[in-house]
């Protein structure tokens, strides 16, 4: 593959090129990225662009450079990929060669504390957005930050979306004003030269590289991109935080780097006793003077990250947080404590996975791997490894000795803290945050600091604490209150079902806390402070954290995810490692430290990895061995679609690891579950749809289905259409398939004249506000492909989800029965902007053709259960859809011999007489008497008898599985003991 030459042009030539380029592809959005690495200072002109091209084509395997253009620090534009090809921008958002986004990337790292987004580069970026949106008549909100489509910080944590839109608007107004003033003015002085330049640029952009198109999930990986050149000899990129000398120097007044409890003399940010002396003798006195002049206390925050975090990741965490804390008048000091555990646990899980897989067959492994991983991890000295990590926290508070004159690093800091605070009275206020194993560190550091004479810590916050309950009780439980070690302690941790739905490196399918609970402590089932069952199972903790109903304790618990994402008691993290990058959690901690009310203004935390930090796993912070980064088991566990395109939906893993019920019949049982809470516009957001999708996936998995999930930002129109078509197209006679949807519904004008009432009903994917609605015509087109003999059942928890009649908004509930509930309608009114965007999208995608007719209700090929009648509203309350809550309850109670009609009747009965919504069954008349979620008669083994056979064999299958599992464990342990 020959290396292309990339042309550089100024913005005014870009405008002319944009106007004259022969677009065959309709642009529907503008995607904005930064390089992260290289930063601005690393830019070397054409060599850097070529290095990016090499990385994308040779390392990533793409056919060309990912982006359509690149904007350099001087504001020049470098041409890139053919504008008629979709970019490699973000998984599920790349479009195709007919329509999709225009993508640009800016050279620089615009995360907080790094490159400034200013000058000619900022001006060029704003003008590019304005020109592309104007060229294709796009609404302002068609600008998409990469972090709105992914779990990355791109295009930078310092960039504010609203400010960017305001800047684009100003550019548009200035351009229009210049256009008005220049009407009648002479044209270009050298038109032939300009035309030649544009023609040359068009030629460069029209190259068609060899090779197939990128996969649908192609996505720029900025953290791997680095500077696209080989690392210096002897230095591992896995250890490199990506911070330059200037950034590290700026961090140093806030860092204490420890290794095995002592000051770390190696690594990127080595700390010596002299560095700590400088912190307390120079930096903190200056900070105190500044605080006093501003009329407030010096708030010192001591932060300890999790024990599975490497030095490089610890530095990145500190980089993300420190400027934000300082903007809120909080001075942070970060303990970067290297434990060595990040590699060891990775290898432990890898070996445990291999041992478990050797001990049993593939199908059995799918449902019993966690117990084997736990047993194997224990046999492979997991408790010793975990104990070594905990010893790092214990040795950090060692007193000085002959062999260690400075003592542990935390002891040295605590002693200097005491000296600094003497005589300063109320001018200083102390606070602490510990994430995961950081809670273990603080259980030792906080009592020591108080013992050495430091003031009482005003507050402490443990995020997903991994400390043992008995360790917490020994060191901290009785030392909370006025004049004690800490006045008040708040825990932020996940509810039990979310802990069970997390995973460790996709090998162990529960959270890290459960791996500790079952496998990494010396005694199995050792209570851990962050687990709900451990908190509720201890009387003293129940009183301390107000879980016994008395409300007299000095502690608080914020259970994530909360119904609200704002205020001092909000958290949305749904993974163990996500709390430190979850904006609601971080903002809640800041509000509590600042003693600010929910409505008071603070500097809001900008999620560094995007709008879905809850999707981030703790493994993202770990420098895992290469073999563990994408375990082979992950592909083996992915649901197969008979040669269909690879799915981007997430394979579902049951929170409770229950064995699916056995089933018989000729075909497979598969489900696609969709749930959307986090719509981009705040007024559209819901609170129960993701939990609904997970509840349906859980219930269906127990019935023998393989379920895949599309949640929040995953659930774009493109993704829903692709996954639904894959589900339908890959089905064969005898299969049972399910489509479940929880989210908003709406209705828009009918554009093709196939609806008598002049309106189309529509599901609202996460990107619906840009016109990407999934209308009834789309659903009909997908369902028209259902093969004969396939049972397709739909569960739709949204408004107007029954027939294709016009929807009427119902009245809100009345009376006192709903007091205290978070209740929301799953319906969006289609504003004129949404309708216009829908019209443009349909015109660009050729979507005005009439949908294939189903032939009327008698020939319906699917069975649909709807949440409400057409004239009613589908409601959600307290974190679940009211239809889903009742329908899954009926489902899990047992469906043997139950017909579709009888299932609908039971759900309706569960709502009771006085209800505001009435579920309905919509299907062909003969389908109402068919058995629920069973193969159609002609393909099942005797129709209803198939269910009977399933029930008869399930007990025997459970016994056989248990016997085989126990045998496998015994064989595995014997083999390990002999090694």
């Amino acid at each position: 593959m020959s290396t292309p030459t990339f042309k550089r042009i100024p913005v005014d030539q870009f405008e002319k090129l944009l106007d004259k380029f022969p677009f065959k592809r309709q642009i529907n959005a503008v995607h904005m990225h930064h390089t992260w690495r290289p930063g601005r200072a690393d830019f070397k002109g054409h060599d850097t662009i070529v290095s990016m091209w090499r990385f994308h084509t040779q390392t990533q395997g793409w056919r060309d450079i990912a982006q359509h253009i690149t904007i350099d620090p001087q504001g020049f534009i470098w041409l890139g990929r053919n504008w008629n090809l979709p970019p490699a921008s973000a998984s599920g958002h790349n479009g195709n060669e007919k329509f999709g986004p225009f993508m640009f990337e800016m050279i620089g790292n615009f995360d907080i504390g790094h490159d400034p987004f200013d000058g000619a580069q900022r001006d060029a970026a704003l003008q590019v957005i304005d020109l592309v949106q104007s060229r294709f008549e796009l609404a302002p909100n068609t600008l998409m930050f990469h972090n709105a489509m992914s779990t990355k910080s791109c295009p930078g944590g310092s960039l504010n979306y609203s400010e960017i839109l305001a800047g684009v608007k100003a550019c548009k107004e200035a351009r229009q004003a210049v256009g008005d003033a220049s009407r009648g003015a002479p044209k270009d002085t050298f038109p032939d030269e300009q035309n030649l330049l544009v023609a040359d640029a068009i030629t460069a952009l029209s190259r068609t590289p060899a090779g197939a198109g990128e996969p649908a999930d192609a996505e720029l990986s900025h953290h791997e991109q680095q500077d696209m050149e080989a690392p210096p000899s002897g230095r591992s990129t896995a250890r490199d935080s990506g911070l330059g000398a200037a950034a590290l120097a700026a961090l140093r007044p806030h860092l204490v780097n420890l290794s095995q409890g002592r000051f770390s003399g190696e690594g990127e940010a080595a700390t010596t006793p002299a560095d700590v002396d400088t912190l307390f003798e120079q930096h903190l006195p200056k900070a105190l003077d500044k605080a006093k002049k501003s009329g407030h206390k010096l708030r010192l925050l001591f932060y300890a990250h999790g024990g599975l975090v490497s030095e490089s990741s610890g530095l990145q965490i500190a980089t993300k947080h420190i400027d934000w804390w300082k903007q809120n008048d909080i001075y942070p000091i970060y303990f970067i404590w290297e434990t060595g555990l990040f590699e060891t646990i990775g290898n432990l899980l890898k070996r445990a996975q291999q041992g478990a897989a050797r001990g049993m067959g593939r199908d059995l492994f799918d449902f019993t791997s966690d117990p084997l991983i736990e047993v194997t991890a224990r046999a492979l000295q997991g408790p010793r490894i975990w104990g070594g990590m905990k010893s790092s926290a214990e040795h950090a508070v060692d007193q000085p000795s002959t062999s260690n004159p400075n003592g542990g690093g935390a002891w040295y800091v605590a002693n200097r803290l005491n000296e600094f605070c003497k005589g300063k009275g109320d001018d200083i206020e102390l606070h602490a945050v510990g994430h995961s194993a950081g809670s273990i560190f603080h259980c030792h550091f906080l009592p020591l600091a108080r013992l050495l004479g430091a003031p009482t810590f005003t507050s402490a916050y443990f995020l997903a604490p991994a400390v043992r309950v008995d360790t917490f009780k020994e060191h901290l439980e009785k030392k909370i209150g006025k004049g004690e070690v800490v006045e008040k302690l708040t825990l932020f941790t996940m509810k039990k079902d979310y802990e069970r739905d997390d995973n460790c490196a996709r090998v162990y399918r529960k959270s890290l806390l459960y791996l500790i609970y079952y496998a990494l402590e010396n005694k199995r089932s050792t209570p851990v402070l962050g687990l709900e069952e451990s908190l509720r199972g201890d009387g003293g903790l129940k009183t301390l954290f107000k879980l016994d109903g008395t409300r007299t304790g000095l502690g608080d618990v914020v259970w994530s995810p909360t119904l609200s994402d704002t205020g001092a008691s909000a958290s949305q993290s749904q993974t163990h490692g996500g709390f430190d990058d979850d904006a609601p959690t971080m903002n809640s901690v800041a509000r509590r430290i600042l003693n600010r009310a929910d409505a008071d203004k603070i500097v809001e935390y900008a999620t560094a990895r995007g709008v879905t930090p809850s999707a981030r796993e703790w493994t993202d912070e770990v420098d895992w061995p290469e073999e563990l980064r994408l375990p082979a088991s992950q592909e083996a566990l992915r649901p197969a679609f008979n040669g269909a395109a690879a799915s981007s939906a997430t394979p579902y893993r049951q929170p409770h690891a229950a064995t699916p019920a056995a089933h018989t019949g000729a075909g497979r049982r598969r489900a696609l579950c969709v749930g959307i809470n986090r719509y981009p516009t705040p007024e559209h957001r819901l609170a129960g749809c993701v939990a609904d999708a997970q509840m349906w996936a859980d219930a269906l998995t127990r019935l023998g289905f393989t379920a895949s999930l599309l949640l929040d930002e995953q659930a774009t129109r493109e993704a829903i259409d692709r996954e639904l078509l894959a589900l339908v197209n890959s089905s064969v006679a005898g299969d049972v398939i399910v489509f479940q949807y929880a989210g908003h519904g709406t209705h828009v004008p009918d554009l093709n004249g196939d609806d008598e009432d002049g309106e189309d009903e529509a599901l609202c994917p996460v990107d619906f506000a840009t016109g990407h609605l999934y209308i009834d015509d789309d659903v009909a087109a997908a369902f028209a492909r259902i093969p004969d003999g396939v049972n397709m059942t739909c569960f739709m928890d949204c408004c107007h989800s029954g027939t294709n009649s016009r929807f009427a908004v119902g009245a809100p509930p009345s009376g006192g029965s709903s007091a205290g509930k978070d209740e929301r309608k799953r319906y969006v009114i289609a504003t004129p902007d949404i309708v216009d965007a829908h019209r443009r999208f349909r015109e660009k995608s050729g979507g005005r053709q009439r949908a294939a007719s189903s032939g009327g209700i008698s020939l319906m090929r699917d069975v649909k259960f709807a949440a409400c009648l057409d004239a009613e509203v589908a409601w959600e309350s307290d974190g679940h859809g009211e239809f889903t809550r009742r329908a899954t309850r009926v489902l899990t109670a047992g469906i043997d011999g139950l017909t579709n009609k009888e299932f609908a009747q039971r759900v309706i009965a569960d709502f009771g007489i006085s209800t505001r919504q009435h579920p309905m069954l919509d299907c062909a008349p003969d389908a109402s008497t068919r058995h629920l979620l069973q193969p159609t008669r002609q393909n099942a083994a005797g129709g209803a008898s198939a269910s009977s056979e399933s029930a008869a064999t399930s007990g025997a299958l459970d016994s056989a599985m248990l016997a085989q599992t126990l045998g496998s464990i015994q064989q595995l342990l014997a083999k390990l003991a002999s090694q």
Side-chain angles (χ1 to χ4, degrees):
M1 182 187 303
S2 60
T3 303
T5 299
F6 294 91
K7 292 188 172 296
R8 187 185 76 162
I9 62 174
V11 173
D12 59 347
Q13 287 185 12
F14 171 79
E15 181 178 5
K16 293 179 173 62
L17 176 59
L18 190 69
D19 181 60
K20 295 183 179 296
F21 184 80
F23 279 98
K24 299 175 183 177
R25 180 172 167 270
Q26 293 293 327
I27 303 301
N28 61 5
V30 181
H31 288 186
M32 186 172 182
H33 293 250
H34 72 171
T35 56
W36 193 76
R37 294 187 66 194
R40 276 180 159 188
D42 303 317
F43 184 66
K44 302 173 183 175
H46 191 262
D47 288 345
T48 296
I49 305 298
V50 170
S51 293
M52 295 170 71
W53 171 83
R54 287 198 183 108
F55 179 79
H56 295 167
T57 56
Q58 297 173 16
T59 302
Q60 300 291 77
W62 300 334
R63 55 184 163 173
D64 203 351
I65 194 169
Q67 62 267 28
H68 292 123
I69 61 171
T70 305
I71 303 176
D72 71 19
Q74 289 75 43
F76 285 94
I77 295 170
W78 295 80
L79 302 183
R81 170 179 291 241
N82 187 329
W83 290 359
N84 278 321
L85 295 179
S89 177
S91 178
H93 296 266
N94 291 325
N96 52 45
E97 295 188 14
K98 291 184 179 179
F99 65 94
F102 184 93
M103 172 196 168
F104 71 95
E105 189 163 26
M106 304 175 295
I107 299 291
N109 176 5
F110 302 113
D111 281 337
I112 295 172
H114 294 279
D115 291 334
F117 181 55
D118 60 8
Q121 187 177 36
R122 180 181 185 275
D123 293 343
L126 298 179
Q127 290 178 70
V128 164
I129 299 167
D130 164 40
L131 291 168
V132 175
Q133 289 186 336
S134 298
R135 169 70 171 78
F136 294 95
E137 300 179 351
L138 302 178
N141 63 2
T142 57
L143 170 65
M144 298 290 288
F145 279 7
H146 188 198
N147 61 35
M149 304 172 284
S150 175
T151 57
K152 297 180 174 66
S153 66
C154 178
S158 67
L159 271 61
N160 181 282
Y161 185 80
S162 298
E163 291 176 0
I164 296 296
L165 287 187
V168 173
K169 181 180 179 182
C171 281
K172 184 183 298 292
E173 292 171 350
R175 179 173 51 80
Q176 291 172 342
V178 170
D180 292 340
S182 63
R183 285 196 179 116
K187 301 296 181 184
D188 291 336
T189 307
F190 303 103
D192 292 339
E193 180 180 343
Q194 291 289 346
N195 290 339
L196 181 61
L197 290 172
V198 169
D200 194 20
I202 290 175
T203 300
L205 277 176
S206 298
R207 70 178 186 277
T208 303
E214 290 73 20
D217 61 351
E219 179 161 349
L220 214 53
S221 182
H222 305 282
H223 288 255
E224 296 173 357
Q225 191 169 308
Q226 301 174 12
D227 57 7
M228 276 61 72
E229 295 177 3
S233 176
R235 186 176 185 185
S236 167
T237 58
R239 293 292 179 277
D240 188 359
S241 68
L243 305 178
L248 285 171
L251 285 178
R252 197 166 294 283
H254 303 277
L255 297 182
V256 178
N257 197 353
L258 307 179
S259 179
Q260 300 301 307
R262 301 188 180 189
F263 290 121
S264 175
E266 299 179 353
E268 290 186 83
T271 296
T272 65
D275 292 326
V276 177
D277 293 342
T278 301
L279 168 63
F280 283 98
E281 294 170 2
Q282 297 182 24
H283 300 301
L284 288 183
K286 289 180 182 178
L288 177 59
D289 289 343
K290 181 179 178 182
K292 292 169 69 174
K293 290 177 182 178
S294 300
H296 60 76
K297 299 179 181 181
L298 172 61
R299 303 181 186 92
L300 281 181
L301 170 69
F302 291 87
Y303 188 102
H305 59 63
L308 285 176
V309 175
S310 64
E311 181 198 35
S312 60
S313 292
L315 290 172
Q316 291 166 4
I317 293 168
T319 301
K320 291 180 298 181
H321 291 180
I322 284 173
D323 280 349
W324 172 72
W325 289 120
K326 291 168 70 177
Q327 289 170 21
N328 280 299
D329 296 322
I330 298 169
Y331 191 101
I333 298 174
Y334 272 59
F335 287 106
I336 308 298
W337 57 308
E338 305 171 46
T339 66
L341 190 69
F342 49 92
E343 287 179 325
T344 314
I345 286 291
N347 285 316
L348 171 68
L349 285 174
K350 176 173 174 284
R351 292 174 62 194
Q353 177 192 41
Q354 292 170 344
R358 286 195 299 268
M360 62 197 316
R362 175 73 263 164
D363 292 339
L364 189 59
F365 178 77
D366 285 349
F367 304 112
T368 59
S369 63
D370 279 3
L372 282 183
I373 293 292
E374 292 159 6
V375 171
T376 311
R378 185 173 295 280
L380 292 172
Q381 303 300 309
R384 180 182 60 79
I385 297 168
W386 181 247
M389 189 284 305
K390 292 187 293 182
S391 73
S392 295
E394 295 167 1
H395 287 305
V397 297
D398 284 348
Q399 296 184 26
S401 64
T402 303
S403 61
N404 181 22
N406 293 315
W411 191 95
Y412 195 92
V413 170
N415 190 51
R416 293 308 316 260
L417 175 64
N418 168 45
E419 295 172 357
F420 175 70
C421 292
K422 283 180 180 178
K424 297 183 174 64
D426 293 334
D427 290 341
I428 298 174
E429 192 174 271
L430 304 181
H431 303 270
V433 174
H435 181 207
S436 186
S439 61
I440 303 174
F441 186 94
H442 275 323
C443 278
H444 296 283
F445 172 70
L446 300 184
L448 172 67
R450 183 65 177 139
L451 178 66
L452 293 179
T456 297
F457 278 71
T458 302
S459 66
Y461 308 89
F462 287 176
L463 315 180
V467 63
R468 286 167 46 149
V469 166
D470 58 354
T471 301
F472 171 76
K473 283 177 164 290
E474 177 185 354
H475 293 280
L476 207 56
E477 180 189 27
K478 302 301 183 183
K479 300 174 183 178
I480 299 174
K482 287 283 187 180
E484 297 289 346
V485 170
V486 60
E487 290 186 12
K488 192 166 185 178
L489 172 66
T490 302
L491 307 186
F492 288 78
T493 196
M494 286 190 289
K495 298 173 183 176
K496 178 169 61 177
D497 287 339
Y498 289 92
E499 293 282 357
R500 291 180 175 271
D501 197 32
D502 198 5
N503 72 86
C504 294
R506 300 184 182 88
V507 175
Y508 181 73
R509 291 181 297 228
K510 288 190 281 291
S511 76
L512 173 65
L513 296 187
Y514 272 112
L515 185 65
I516 297 168
Y517 179 78
Y518 284 121
L520 297 186
E521 290 291 350
N522 289 326
K523 183 180 178 182
R524 180 178 168 83
S525 302
T526 296
V528 177
L529 189 66
L531 289 176
E532 181 178 359
E533 57 209 71
S534 297
L535 285 169
R536 297 190 186 278
D538 184 285
L541 295 182
K542 287 175 65 176
T543 299
L544 174 63
F545 292 109
K546 305 187 184 78
L547 301 176
D548 59 356
T550 62
R551 308 298 296 173
T552 59
L554 295 171
D556 283 321
V557 181
V558 177
W559 299 107
S560 184
T562 55
L563 293 175
S564 174
D565 60 0
T566 60
S569 297
S571 181
Q572 294 293 308
S573 183
Q574 294 179 30
T575 64
H576 178 81
F579 284 90
D580 69 338
D581 199 31
D582 176 59
T585 300
M586 298 299 287
N587 288 330
S588 295
V589 171
R591 285 187 181 280
R592 288 170 180 254
I593 292 174
L594 297 169
N595 197 25
R596 300 279 173 82
D598 290 354
D600 291 343
K601 186 177 180 180
I602 66 169
V603 177
E604 299 282 338
Y605 181 76
T607 301
R609 285 181 181 78
V611 298
T612 50
S614 62
R616 190 183 105 217
E617 302 169 11
W618 59 269
T619 54
D620 288 352
E621 298 293 3
V622 180
D623 293 335
W624 293 104
E626 183 64 34
E627 311 93 290
L628 197 66
R629 291 181 185 171
L630 184 62
S633 64
Q634 183 67 9
E635 291 305 314
L637 293 172
R638 191 182 300 279
F641 278 121
N642 283 357
S647 170
S648 65
T650 303
Y652 179 70
R653 297 287 174 260
Q654 277 188 286
H656 298 287
T659 300
H663 66 88
T664 60
R668 297 161 300 165
R669 299 160 77 81
R670 296 173 297 142
L672 173 63
C673 301
V674 180
I676 310 170
N677 289 337
R678 257 192 312 266
Y679 289 97
T681 306
E683 59 264 29
H684 294 157
R685 289 174 190 162
L686 295 167
C689 297
V690 168
D692 281 1
Q694 292 167 332
M695 184 178 284
W696 277 107
D698 189 7
L700 291 167
T701 302
R702 293 173 187 273
L703 294 173
F705 282 79
T706 298
S708 294
L709 292 164
L710 285 175
L711 304 178
D712 285 335
E713 287 74 22
Q714 294 176 320
T716 62
R717 184 199 177 279
E718 178 187 11
I720 292 173
D721 187 52
R722 180 180 65 250
E723 298 297 331
L724 183 56
L725 286 173
L727 181 67
V728 169
N729 291 339
S730 61
S731 298
V732 296
D735 286 357
V736 181
I737 57 177
V738 168
F739 175 55
Q740 173 270 324
Y741 173 83
H744 277 308
T746 190
H747 63 278
V748 290
D750 173 29
L751 301 179
N752 58 18
D754 64 347
D755 280 291
E756 293 182 2
D757 61 357
E759 291 187 332
D760 282 323
E761 279 65 44
L763 305 181
C764 295
V766 70
D767 53 348
F768 81 94
T770 59
H772 293 63
L773 293 158
Y774 203 62
I775 63 174
D776 48 16
D777 293 354
D778 302 323
V779 177
F783 287 3
R785 298 168 176 256
I786 299 172
D788 292 338
V790 172
N791 179 355
M792 169 63 142
T793 303
C794 303
F795 300 98
M796 312 296 284
D797 201 342
C798 59
C799 296
H800 73 272
S801 54
T803 66
N804 292 335
S805 304
R806 180 167 181 159
F807 174 78
V809 179
S814 58
S817 62
S818 300
K821 288 187 175 182
D822 177 12
E823 298 190 310
R824 312 185 192 197
K825 300 176 183 179
R826 293 184 174 178
Y827 175 74
V828 165
I829 296 175
T831 63
D833 286 344
I834 292 174
V835 172
D836 287 345
H838 165 62
R839 192 185 309 275
R840 290 196 301 271
F841 172 76
R842 291 288 157 174
E843 288 174 347
K844 292 173 182 177
S845 60
R848 285 199 173 200
Q849 66 272 17
R850 290 173 176 263
S853 173
S854 66
I857 191 171
S858 64
L859 297 180
M860 280 184 63
R861 304 179 73 83
D862 64 295
V863 174
K864 186 185 291 93
F865 293 95
C868 59
L869 300 177
D870 294 332
E872 295 175 337
V873 172
W875 288 92
E876 65 172 43
S877 59
D878 290 344
H880 276 296
E882 295 191 1
F883 168 70
T884 290
R885 183 182 286 113
R886 292 166 173 83
T888 55
R889 184 158 57 210
V890 173
L891 202 66
T892 54
I895 63 170
D896 284 351
L898 201 66
T899 66
N900 290 318
K901 182 178 180 180
E902 289 167 342
F903 175 75
Q905 290 171 340
R906 290 191 185 184
V907 176
I908 292 170
D910 198 293
F911 270 87
I913 298 175
S914 301
T915 181
R916 51 190 169 180
Q917 69 185 79
H918 298 79
M920 61 179 292
L921 169 63
D922 184 31
C923 64
D926 66 324
S928 65
T929 57
R930 294 178 192 162
H931 288 97
L932 178 71
L933 299 178
Q934 295 300 324
T936 55
R937 282 194 187 91
Q938 61 268 37
N939 295 292
S945 64
S947 297
S948 302
E949 182 182 349
S950 171
T953 59
S954 61
L957 180 62
D958 289 344
S959 298
M961 289 179 67
L962 179 59
Q964 186 175 350
T965 300
L966 292 174
S968 299
I969 292 174
Q970 292 171 349
Q971 293 173 14
L972 179 60
L973 290 178
K975 186 173 182 179
L976 289 169
S978 66
Q979 292 179 347

